[in-house]
Amino acid sequence: MTHLTDIEIARAARKQKIQAIGARLDIPEEALLPYGHDKAKVAQSFIEGLRDRPDGKLILVTAITPTPAGEGKTTTTVGLGDGLNRIGKRAAICIREASLGPCFGLKGGAAGGGYAQVIPMEDMNLHFTGDFHAITSAHNLLSAMIDNHIHWGNELQIDQRRVVWRRVMDMNDRALRDIVTSLGGPANGFPRQTGFDITVASEVMAILCLAEDLADLQRRLGEIIVAYTREKEPIRARDLKADGAMTVLLRDAMQPNLVQTLENNPAFVHGGPFANIAHGCNSVISTRLALKLADYVVTEAGFGADLGAEKFMDIKCRKAGLSPDAVVLVATVRSLKMNGGVAKENLGAENPQAVQAGCANLTRHLENLRGFGVPVVVAINRFAGDTEAELEMLRKTVEAEDAEVFLCNHWAEGSAGIEALAHRVAELADSGEAAFQLLYPDTMPLFEKIETVARKIYRADGVDADPRIRAQLAEWEAQGFGDLPVCVAKTQYSFSADPSQRGAVTGHRIPVREVRLSAGAGFIVVICGEIMTMPGLPRTPAAEGIGLNADNQVEGLF
Amino acid sequence: MTHLTDIEIARAARKQKIQAIGARLDIPEEALLPYGHDKAKVAQSFIEGLRDRPDGKLILVTAITPTPAGEGKTTTTVGLGDGLNRIGKRAAICIREASLGPCFGLKGGAAGGGYAQVIPMEDMNLHFTGDFHAITSAHNLLSAMIDNHIHWGNELQIDQRRVVWRRVMDMNDRALRDIVTSLGGPANGFPRQTGFDITVASEVMAILCLAEDLADLQRRLGEIIVAYTREKEPIRARDLKADGAMTVLLRDAMQPNLVQTLENNPAFVHGGPFANIAHGCNSVISTRLALKLADYVVTEAGFGADLGAEKFMDIKCRKAGLSPDAVVLVATVRSLKMNGGVAKENLGAENPQAVQAGCANLTRHLENLRGFGVPVVVAINRFAGDTEAELEMLRKTVEAEDAEVFLCNHWAEGSAGIEALAHRVAELADSGEAAFQLLYPDTMPLFEKIETVARKIYRADGVDADPRIRAQLAEWEAQGFGDLPVCVAKTQYSFSADPSQRGAVTGHRIPVREVRLSAGAGFIVVICGEIMTMPGLPRTPAAEGIGLNADNQVEGLF
C-alpha cells in the first residue's frame, strides 16, 4: 500500500513530452499545438483528414448512484485505459475538463486518484488550455450584444422582460445569481433583472461538446434562443449577428486537448458540461478523434448511470451517431454500504448486509444499462478497508443477476491492478455483442419522452407536470422542436427527485417544475427539483488554504 | 508602395518557430513554454537565473498628444526594434498585450502596422496565452470571497456600504457598470450596489505589471484594500486570505510572452494596464527579462508623453529601479495637422501652416521629456500623402528646438525604412548622456506631487480640489501612503482636462474629482474628468462582422 497523496504521486510521475504521447497515436508533431511541454491541442486540420478512417471500440464507464463515500468513476476510466494499454491494446481515454470555480470552494477536482490519474493535475484544475475562459467570453459577448441591441433602439423588438440569456463566470459566486443590471441612467442601458450562472452551465458549453466541427458550432450558436418578442417570437443569437464572433472566440477551444496518464498513455480531456441541465459528457469532437486514432476508447459520463449514462446514450450517442460497444458499471464497497443505509461515519465497520442492501441500487442500474443493448460488466474499485466478507457478498449478489464482477486495484497498483477487467472489456467490445438501441425514438412526443425516462430509468410511477408545462411542450412541438431528446435535471443522489432516498427507491413520482429549450445544443431541459446553476463558496473556502510553496508548486488545491 | 492590408501582410509573413526566436536571445528550448508554434512563455526558473547579468539599454518610444489621425507609436516601437536588429544590434521589443473586449466594439487592436508588426495578430487580439483571463479570475475570486465573508457572518466587520472592490470582465458591457447583486433572498447574500470594470482596469493588472516576482506579486495582492469597516479601518485581500489563491491563479500569467516581428525579431508582449487609472506600461518582469537578454530594449507607454511617458518614468522606472537611456518621440504629419487645428476630413489637403501650429504640441512634449534628463529624438512615422513642404516645415520647426528629427518609413519598408533612427538611437543610448531624474521625490506631499505633474507636464496654472480630497490625501499620508507616486487619470486628448483642447493649451487648471488608493499596485489614482472603466459597444459592434472564413482564418477583427 502506498502512503502518498494523489498530488505526491502526480508530482513524482515521469512525464513524457506531449509530442511523445501524441506519437503513441501517430499524431505528427506539427498536428500538435503545444501548451507548455505536457499539454497540447490537436489541430483542426489534422482532425479533418481522419474522416475516412474506421472507428475503434467505444467503452463507457458509469457508476451507481453517487454517495459521499466516492465511487471512483474517473479513477476507473483512467485505470481501464492504462490497463488496456498494458495488455497491448492501443487505447485512449476521453474525459471532461474540470471547472475552475469550484476548486476554490471545496478541495478536489483531481483527474482520477492514486495510481490512476491524468496529469498535469494543477493545470487541469486551473486554466488548462483556456477552453472554459473562451466559453465564458463567447457567452458573455452574446449577453453584451443583447443589452447593446436594446440600448441602441431595439430594432428586433426584444421584450426586455423575456430575455432568457444570462451571463456566466467560472467562479462560485452566489452574489451574482440574481442581480439587476444597467442602473445609473440612460448611458448604461435599460435596468433589467438577470443573473450569472457558472460557465459549465452555459449552453455554449453544451454546444461546444456536441458540435461536429466549426461550421456546425457556428450553426448551433446561431440557433441559441436569447429572448422573445412581446408576441413570443424567439430571438436567436443569429438575429443579433453574434454567431460569427462567438465562433471566432471558440476556434481554439474546439480543438481537443491531449495529456497523459501517470503511465504515459494518451488522454483527451475536452469539454465539461453540467450533468443536470446539460448532458455531462466530454466533447463529441474529442471522442470521435480518439475513435479514429485508437482501437479502444474509454470514456465516462457524469453522475450515476440513471443521469450520466442515459444522457450519454440518448443525447450524445443519438446526436453524434456514436454507439458504445461495452459498459463498465463502477461501485465501491463503501458506496454500496451507503446506498444500503449506512451513515458515512460508520463506513469503517464491516457490514456485508449493508453491501447486499446497497446492491439493489447497483442491480437496478445494471438492468437499465442492459436495456440499451450493450454488454455491461461491474467493476469494483477496491479500498484498503474492504473486507473479504463484504466482497464475497457483493460478488454473490451481482453474479445472481447473471453479471460479471471484477475486483480492481488500479488505485493502488495502476494498470497491474486492472488487467482482468481490461481483458474482458476488450473481448466484449470485440465480440460484436452490442446491439445499441436508444431509449426512445426522436418521433415520440416530448412529454412521453419524459415519462419514458422516468418509468424505465428512474422507475417512477409517473410524472407530475402543470398544464402550463404540458402546453409549453406542445408549443415547442408545434414549432418543430418535437424531435429533440430530453435532458432531465434531477438530483444525482437518488433514482427519485428526493436526494435523501438512496438505494432503489420505488413508488415515487417525478415532479417537473420547469422546462427549458436549449435550441442550440438541441435538447429540452426538464427541471425536476432544485438545480443550482451558480454555486456559492462555503464558510471556509478552500481558497483560503491555496498558495504556492517555496518551489512555486500549488498547495491546497487538492 | 504596398496595397496590402495589415492582416494580409501579417498572414504572408514567414513566421519562424518560437524556439528559433528564443534562440536569437539564447533562451534554451526547455526555458520556453510553447503556446502553439508561434508563442511561448519564458519559464520563471530561467528568469531567476539571469539576476546577475548586466542590463542592456532601455529605449522608450512615446508620442505627441493622440488624435484620430493616428501616430504609430507601436508601429515605430516595432520598426525601431527591427531597425536595430538590421544594423547588427541585439535588440528586443517590449509591448503591452491587447484587451479582448474592445476588439468586438471597434475594429483595431493590431500590434503595429504595415511592415512593422508583431505576429500572430489574431491570437494577440483574442485569448493570446490567457493572461487576461487569469487576471479576471484572480480579481473575481477576491470579489466572491468578500461577499462570501459577509454572507457567513462578517467576522472582519466589513461595512457593506464601503466595499470598494468591484468585479471585472474582459468585455465591453455597459449593462454591468452599475448593478445590484445578491437579490433573491438570504441564500444569495446581502444585496449591495456595485459593478464591473473591464479587466485592464483591474488593480490586479497593475500589480502584475509592477511585481518583481511571484513573492512580490503575492505581497502586493495581499495589500489590496477591498473595503473598510464602520470605523474606516481598511480590510485587505490578505485579511480574507485571498492572496495565496490569487497568486496561484496568476502563476503562469506572470511569465512573459515571447512572439516575433514580421522580420523574425524577438518581441515580449506582456501585461496591459489602463493608461489612465493605471500606469499603462508592459510588465516590469518582461522589461527586466528583455534587458538581461538583449543589448537594446525598445518599449512604449500608453497615450501621449504627458500621460504615458510621465507614468513610465515616475511609476514604472521609479518602482522598478529602471532608467531609460534614450527616448523617441513619435508624430505623424497628419496628427500634427490635427493638433494644429485641422479637422479629420481635411487632412488630405497640404497644410504646412497647420503642421507648424501642431508642432507646438510636439515641442512641449519634447521639453517635458528633456526634463527627465534623457536624450530625446523625434521620429516621423511617414504617410504616403505627406508632402515635401509639410515635412520641410516640420523639420525646420523641430530643429529650431535643437532637436533631431528622423523621417521613418518602416510602415512601408520595414527595418530598411528606419535605419538612420536606429543608428542614432543606439549611439545615444551608448553615449552615457542620459542622467535620468524623476519628476518629484517620494517624500514630496501627495498634493504637491499632483501639482508638480500639473504644472510641469500639463503646464496648468494650478490644481482644483475639494477640501474633502485634500483631507483624504492627508489621511493617507498619516497612514503611511505618503511616499507613493501619483497616477493621474485624465483625458489623453489634451494637455488639459478638456479633450477638445488640442495643441499646446495654456491658462487651464486641473480639476481633481476623486482620489483612489491602489495600495497593492502602489500608487494614488487622481481622477480628473470622466474616466470610463467599463466601455460599451457601439451601435454596430465590430462583432457583427467578425467570423471565420473558409480557411478558418479570422475575418473582421482588424
Side-chain angles (χ1 to χ4, degrees):
Chain A
M1 276 305 303
T2 175
H3 294 282
L4 298 176
T5 63
D6 285 358
I7 183 69
E8 285 166 342
I9 293 169
R11 284 186 185 152
R14 280 186 301 221
K15 265 191 298 192
Q16 291 181 6
K17 287 223 170 193
I18 198 63
Q19 289 80 4
I21 305 301
R24 301 277 309 274
L25 296 174
D26 296 320
I27 307 174
E29 272 202 38
E30 61 273 18
L32 287 178
L33 303 166
Y35 282 66
H37 300 300
D38 51 10
K39 306 176 288 296
K41 284 192 166 284
V42 182
Q44 194 73 43
S45 50
F46 172 74
I47 297 172
E48 283 161 15
L50 301 173
R51 286 217 175 112
D52 297 332
R53 284 208 200 170
D55 284 334
K57 302 295 182 185
L58 181 58
I59 298 145
L60 175 70
V61 175
T62 184
I64 65 166
T65 299
T67 68
E71 294 70 45
K73 194 172 52 192
T74 305
T75 303
T76 303
T77 303
V78 176
L80 179 56
D82 281 339
L84 286 163
N85 276 287
R86 183 186 185 88
I87 65 169
K89 305 294 186 187
R90 184 182 169 104
I93 292 155
C94 278
I95 61 174
R96 288 168 292 166
E97 296 181 61
S99 181
L100 178 69
C103 293
F104 295 96
L106 297 165
K107 283 193 191 202
Y115 286 89
Q117 294 186 54
V118 173
I119 49 176
M121 268 174 82
E122 279 113 326
D123 294 2
M124 289 174 59
N125 286 296
L126 292 169
H127 309 291
F128 199 35
T129 59
D131 294 342
F132 286 17
H133 291 315
I135 288 165
T136 303
S137 295
H139 183 116
N140 290 336
L141 173 63
L142 178 55
S143 309
M145 289 177 79
I146 296 166
D147 282 305
N148 191 60
H149 180 86
I150 298 170
H151 176 73
W152 286 107
N154 199 9
E155 204 179 317
L156 292 169
Q157 297 192 283
I158 293 170
D159 183 343
Q160 293 164 50
R161 305 163 306 177
R162 291 192 170 95
V163 176
V164 294
W165 191 251
R166 292 158 53 94
R167 286 174 177 80
V168 296
M169 188 185 280
D170 196 0
M171 192 60 66
N172 287 19
D173 191 348
R174 70 172 62 74
L176 294 177
R177 284 174 191 155
D178 192 346
I179 69 175
V180 170
T181 55
S182 290
L183 298 173
N188 297 348
F190 294 88
R192 206 161 59 70
Q193 191 165 9
T194 179
F196 280 72
D197 297 322
I198 192 162
T199 298
V200 288
S202 168
E203 188 178 346
V204 176
M205 174 70 86
I207 289 173
L208 182 117
C209 290
L210 289 167
E212 313 214 348
D213 53 27
L214 286 167
D216 186 42
L217 177 74
Q218 177 158 354
R219 186 191 60 73
R220 287 170 177 270
L221 292 170
E223 288 296 313
I224 293 173
I225 294 174
V226 299
Y228 295 87
T229 64
R230 245 175 206 278
E231 291 70 38
K232 300 192 187 166
E233 287 299 314
I235 304 292
R236 293 182 166 77
R238 188 178 297 119
D239 300 322
L240 290 159
K241 303 187 184 121
D243 50 325
M246 291 172 77
T247 305
V248 164
L249 282 166
L250 295 168
R251 181 180 63 163
D252 292 345
M254 264 294 275
Q255 300 176 126
N257 305 298
L258 179 67
V259 289
Q260 65 192 289
T261 67
L262 291 176
E263 300 190 8
N264 312 122
N265 293 312
F268 294 98
V269 179
H270 194 222
F274 255 22
N276 44 39
I277 60 158
H279 62 294
C281 303
N282 73 311
S283 75
V284 163
I285 197 168
S286 68
T287 304
R288 280 210 181 133
L289 171 65
L291 287 167
K292 294 296 181 196
L293 297 172
D295 295 328
Y296 301 87
V297 174
V298 186
T299 190
E300 62 169 349
F303 298 153
D306 53 332
L307 288 165
E310 191 275 320
K311 292 175 185 184
F312 174 83
M313 309 289 190
D314 282 318
I315 298 178
K316 181 174 174 174
C317 290
R318 179 192 301 262
K319 293 288 183 168
L322 295 171
S323 171
D325 298 285
V327 175
V328 177
L329 177 62
V330 178
T332 55
V333 167
R334 291 161 58 88
S335 68
L336 287 168
K337 280 153 83 173
M338 281 197 88
N339 262 299
V342 175
K344 196 178 179 191
E345 55 273 24
N346 299 328
L347 285 175
E350 179 174 76
N351 194 340
Q353 288 68 38
V355 172
Q356 186 177 30
C359 279
N361 182 276
L362 186 151
T363 50
R364 184 181 283 182
H365 285 296
L366 194 60
E367 286 170 18
N368 285 348
L369 289 165
R370 284 172 167 167
F372 289 100
V374 182
V376 189
V377 294
V378 174
I380 302 301
N381 174 30
R382 285 192 71 166
F383 272 60
D386 299 349
T387 71
E388 280 309 314
E390 288 171 336
L391 292 168
E392 185 49 36
M393 176 64 83
L394 166 57
R395 183 195 304 278
K396 209 176 65 186
T397 315
V398 175
E399 286 177 355
E401 299 293 321
D402 240 0
E404 296 173 74
V405 55
F406 293 84
L407 296 184
C408 302
N409 209 17
H410 47 292
W411 184 88
E413 297 173 17
S415 62
I418 199 168
E419 277 194 38
L421 179 70
H423 277 292
R424 182 59 181 141
V425 165
E427 193 176 48
L428 279 173
D430 291 339
S431 69
E433 203 179 296
F436 178 57
Q437 56 186 29
L438 298 166
L439 189 67
Y440 51 81
D442 288 356
T443 50
M444 185 183 277
L446 291 173
F447 195 75
E448 258 184 65
K449 287 175 181 165
I450 302 170
E451 286 183 316
T452 302
V453 177
R455 287 180 194 275
K456 291 202 177 166
I457 303 292
Y458 311 149
R459 312 295 180 95
D461 290 347
V463 174
D464 296 325
D466 275 0
R468 182 182 52 82
I469 283 170
R470 292 169 190 259
Q472 176 65 78
L473 294 172
E475 195 178 317
W476 286 332
E477 283 166 348
Q479 290 168 0
F481 297 110
D483 60 345
L484 295 184
V486 294
C487 178
V488 180
K490 183 185 76 61
T491 177
Q492 67 266 38
Y493 299 116
S494 173
F495 275 105
S496 75
D498 174 358
S500 69
Q501 302 292 308
R502 291 201 177 124
V505 57
T506 52
H508 56 286
R509 297 183 65 82
I510 299 294
V512 178
R513 290 163 41 116
E514 188 191 340
V515 286
R516 295 183 195 163
L517 172 57
S518 290
F523 49 69
I524 306 281
V525 181
V526 181
I527 296 180
C528 308
E530 291 284 354
I531 298 297
M532 177 66 71
T533 52
M534 173 51 96
L537 292 170
R539 182 182 289 272
T540 306
E544 294 186 5
I546 293 174
L548 296 179
N549 64 21
D551 297 326
N552 289 335
Q553 291 173 319
V554 180
E555 296 291 347
L557 191 57
F558 315 99
Chain B
M1 278 305 304
T2 175
H3 294 282
L4 298 176
T5 64
D6 286 356
I7 184 68
E8 285 166 344
I9 294 169
R11 284 186 184 150
R14 278 185 302 219
K15 263 192 299 193
Q16 290 181 5
K17 287 224 171 192
I18 197 62
Q19 289 80 4
I21 305 301
R24 300 276 310 272
L25 296 175
D26 296 321
I27 306 174
E29 272 202 40
E30 59 273 20
L32 286 178
L33 303 166
Y35 282 67
H37 300 299
D38 50 10
K39 306 176 289 297
K41 284 192 167 284
V42 182
Q44 194 72 43
S45 50
F46 172 73
I47 297 173
E48 283 161 15
L50 300 173
R51 287 217 175 112
D52 297 332
R53 284 207 201 171
D55 284 336
K57 303 296 181 184
L58 182 58
I59 297 144
L60 175 70
V61 175
T62 185
I64 65 166
T65 298
T67 68
E71 293 71 43
K73 194 171 52 191
T74 305
T75 303
T76 303
T77 302
V78 176
L80 179 56
D82 281 340
L84 285 162
N85 276 286
R86 183 186 185 86
I87 64 169
K89 306 292 184 187
R90 184 182 170 105
I93 291 156
C94 277
I95 60 174
R96 288 168 293 166
E97 297 180 60
S99 181
L100 178 70
C103 293
F104 296 96
L106 297 165
K107 284 194 191 200
Y115 285 90
Q117 294 186 54
V118 173
I119 48 176
M121 268 175 83
E122 279 112 325
D123 293 3
M124 289 175 58
N125 286 297
L126 292 169
H127 308 293
F128 199 34
T129 59
D131 294 342
F132 287 16
H133 291 317
I135 289 166
T136 303
S137 294
H139 183 116
N140 290 335
L141 173 62
L142 178 55
S143 310
M145 288 178 79
I146 296 166
D147 281 305
N148 191 59
H149 180 87
I150 298 171
H151 176 72
W152 285 106
N154 200 8
E155 206 179 315
L156 293 169
Q157 296 191 283
I158 292 169
D159 184 343
Q160 293 164 51
R161 305 163 307 176
R162 293 193 168 96
V163 177
V164 293
W165 191 252
R166 292 157 53 94
R167 286 173 176 78
V168 296
M169 189 184 278
D170 197 1
M171 193 59 66
N172 287 18
D173 191 348
R174 69 171 62 74
L176 294 178
R177 286 174 190 155
D178 192 345
I179 70 174
V180 170
T181 55
S182 289
L183 297 173
N188 297 347
F190 295 87
R192 205 160 60 67
Q193 191 165 8
T194 178
F196 281 71
D197 297 321
I198 192 162
T199 298
V200 288
S202 168
E203 188 180 344
V204 177
M205 175 69 86
I207 288 173
L208 183 118
C209 290
L210 288 168
E212 312 214 346
D213 53 28
L214 286 167
D216 186 43
L217 176 74
Q218 179 158 352
R219 187 191 61 73
R220 288 170 177 272
L221 293 170
E223 288 296 312
I224 293 172
I225 294 173
V226 298
Y228 294 87
T229 65
R230 244 177 207 279
E231 291 70 37
K232 299 192 188 166
E233 288 298 315
I235 303 292
R236 294 183 164 79
R238 190 178 295 120
D239 301 322
L240 290 159
K241 302 188 184 117
D243 50 325
M246 291 171 77
T247 305
V248 164
L249 282 166
L250 295 169
R251 182 181 62 165
D252 293 345
M254 263 294 275
Q255 300 176 127
N257 305 299
L258 178 67
V259 290
Q260 64 191 290
T261 68
L262 290 176
E263 300 190 9
N264 310 122
N265 294 313
F268 294 98
V269 180
H270 194 222
F274 255 23
N276 44 38
I277 60 158
H279 63 292
C281 303
N282 74 310
S283 75
V284 163
I285 197 167
S286 69
T287 305
R288 281 210 182 135
L289 171 65
L291 286 168
K292 295 295 182 196
L293 297 172
D295 297 327
Y296 301 88
V297 173
V298 188
T299 190
E300 63 170 349
F303 297 153
D306 53 333
L307 288 165
E310 191 275 320
K311 292 175 185 185
F312 175 83
M313 308 289 190
D314 282 319
I315 298 178
K316 181 174 175 176
C317 289
R318 178 191 302 262
K319 293 286 184 171
L322 296 170
S323 171
D325 298 287
V327 175
V328 176
L329 177 61
V330 178
T332 55
V333 165
R334 291 161 58 87
S335 67
L336 286 168
K337 281 155 81 172
M338 280 197 89
N339 263 298
V342 176
K344 197 177 177 190
E345 55 274 24
N346 300 328
L347 284 176
E350 179 174 77
N351 194 340
Q353 289 68 37
V355 171
Q356 186 177 31
C359 278
N361 182 275
L362 185 151
T363 50
R364 184 181 281 183
H365 284 296
L366 195 59
E367 286 168 16
N368 284 350
L369 289 165
R370 284 171 167 169
F372 289 100
V374 183
V376 188
V377 295
V378 174
I380 302 303
N381 174 30
R382 286 192 71 164
F383 271 60
D386 301 346
T387 71
E388 280 310 313
E390 289 171 335
L391 291 170
E392 186 48 35
M393 175 65 83
L394 167 57
R395 183 195 303 275
K396 208 176 63 185
T397 316
V398 175
E399 286 176 355
E401 299 292 322
D402 239 359
E404 297 173 73
V405 55
F406 293 85
L407 295 185
C408 302
N409 211 16
H410 46 291
W411 186 88
E413 296 172 19
S415 62
I418 199 169
E419 277 193 40
L421 178 70
H423 276 293
R424 182 61 182 141
V425 164
E427 194 176 46
L428 278 174
D430 291 340
S431 69
E433 201 179 299
F436 177 57
Q437 55 186 29
L438 298 165
L439 190 65
Y440 52 79
D442 288 357
T443 51
M444 186 183 276
L446 292 173
F447 195 75
E448 260 183 63
K449 287 175 181 165
I450 302 170
E451 285 182 314
T452 302
V453 177
R455 287 181 193 274
K456 292 202 177 166
I457 303 293
Y458 310 150
R459 311 295 181 95
D461 289 347
V463 174
D464 296 324
D466 275 359
R468 184 182 53 82
I469 283 170
R470 291 168 190 258
Q472 176 64 80
L473 294 172
E475 195 179 318
W476 285 333
E477 282 166 349
Q479 290 168 0
F481 297 111
D483 60 345
L484 296 183
V486 294
C487 179
V488 180
K490 184 186 74 62
T491 177
Q492 67 268 38
Y493 298 115
S494 173
F495 274 106
S496 75
D498 174 359
S500 69
Q501 302 292 308
R502 291 200 178 125
V505 55
T506 52
H508 56 288
R509 299 184 63 83
I510 299 294
V512 178
R513 289 163 42 117
E514 187 191 341
V515 286
R516 292 182 197 165
L517 172 57
S518 290
F523 50 68
I524 306 281
V525 182
V526 181
I527 297 180
C528 308
E530 291 284 355
I531 298 297
M532 178 65 73
T533 51
M534 172 52 96
L537 292 170
R539 183 182 289 271
T540 306
E544 293 185 5
I546 293 175
L548 296 178
N549 63 21
D551 297 325
N552 289 335
Q553 290 173 321
V554 179
E555 296 290 349
L557 192 56
F558 316 100

